[in-house]
Amino acid sequence: MSSHGGDHEPVLIRQSAEGSRAAFSALVEPHIGRLLALAARMLGSRQHGEDAVQDGLASVWVSRHRLDPERPVGPYLTTVVLNKCRDRLRTRKAKRFFGLGSVDDAALIADESPDPENRASARQELGLLRAEIERLPIRLREALVLVSIDGRSQAEAASLLGVSEKAIETRVYRARQRLREKFDQF
């Protein structure tokens, strides 16, 4: 992926490190839509995704002095948001284990189809798919979301997750295989 900030990104990083909120906003703004989509897919909810992105950006702001003007900020933001998603998933898992978790309502899917039966069926299928993706182990889910849903290359996903391209290929394959097995049962 290309750098959203182009030639201005290093300047914005330096200004952000000096405490400029306007520069920080200009730096992260081009990435917010992609980060929100990624977090919502990882967490299965737009609201939870928004919270994770907000937490991630707050963390980046607090540690803005660590930003490197020589490196693109997009992959760093993605890594921070993925870490916030992992934290939320671990917390959710612990809450469920101790009986403290609540079940989120399935997100409604907008469909222009006038046929209520088709809408209900599509909504149900997508809800089942989302639920099965959420049940995948985190390593498989991350690889699947980054490559198959977010549209990143295996090399980019490998770099973001700190693993080899072969590991990403294997994880995506295993995730798809598990989903196929689940849906073959229906």
Side-chain angles (χ1 to χ4, degrees):
M1 292 200 146
S2 65
S3 170
H4 287 88
D7 297 333
H8 301 297
E9 196 168 88
V11 173
L12 292 174
I13 290 172
R14 286 186 194 97
Q15 291 173 347
S16 296
E18 294 169 1
S20 170
R21 290 180 188 261
F24 185 75
S25 293
L27 181 65
V28 301
E29 186 74 32
H31 303 278
I32 290 177
R34 179 182 52 77
L35 295 171
L36 286 169
L38 174 65
R41 289 177 184 130
M42 284 298 298
L43 298 171
S45 159
R46 180 166 176 81
Q47 180 182 353
H48 292 288
E50 289 171 354
D51 292 343
V53 170
Q54 186 175 20
D55 288 351
L57 293 178
S59 293
V60 172
W61 171 254
V62 168
S63 63
R64 64 192 177 276
H65 62 279
R66 292 185 186 159
L67 292 173
D68 183 354
E70 302 302 316
R71 302 182 106 186
V73 75
Y76 179 72
L77 295 174
T78 301
T79 299
V80 170
V81 169
L82 277 173
N83 286 336
K84 293 299 178 181
C85 290
R86 288 179 189 131
D87 291 345
R88 289 175 177 276
L89 290 168
R90 278 191 292 269
T91 301
R92 186 185 296 172
K93 189 174 183 178
K95 284 182 177 179
R96 284 186 189 144
F97 180 76
F98 291 109
L100 302 172
S102 64
V103 178
D104 293 330
D105 293 338
L108 295 178
I109 302 166
D111 186 357
E112 299 300 319
S113 172
D115 182 5
E117 281 186 40
N118 286 343
R119 277 190 285 166
S121 176
R123 199 174 302 146
Q124 182 180 15
E125 288 172 8
L126 187 55
L128 290 171
L129 179 60
R130 280 185 174 164
E132 290 304 321
I133 289 173
E134 283 187 49
R135 287 186 186 103
L136 289 172
I138 188 71
R139 290 174 184 236
L140 299 183
R141 185 184 327 169
E142 287 173 341
L144 180 72
V145 168
L146 286 171
V147 173
S148 299
I149 299 173
D150 208 29
R152 295 179 182 272
S153 69
Q154 289 182 359
E156 192 174 7
S159 174
L160 287 169
L161 298 176
V163 297
S164 69
E165 285 184 56
K166 187 65 177 173
I168 293 297
E169 180 182 345
T170 301
R171 289 175 185 181
V172 170
Y173 173 80
R174 287 181 180 162
R176 288 179 177 164
Q177 189 66 29
R178 285 188 183 195
L179 292 174
R180 262 188 228 107
E181 289 170 4
K182 289 290 184 180
F183 284 96
D184 283 347
Q185 295 173 3
F186 292 111

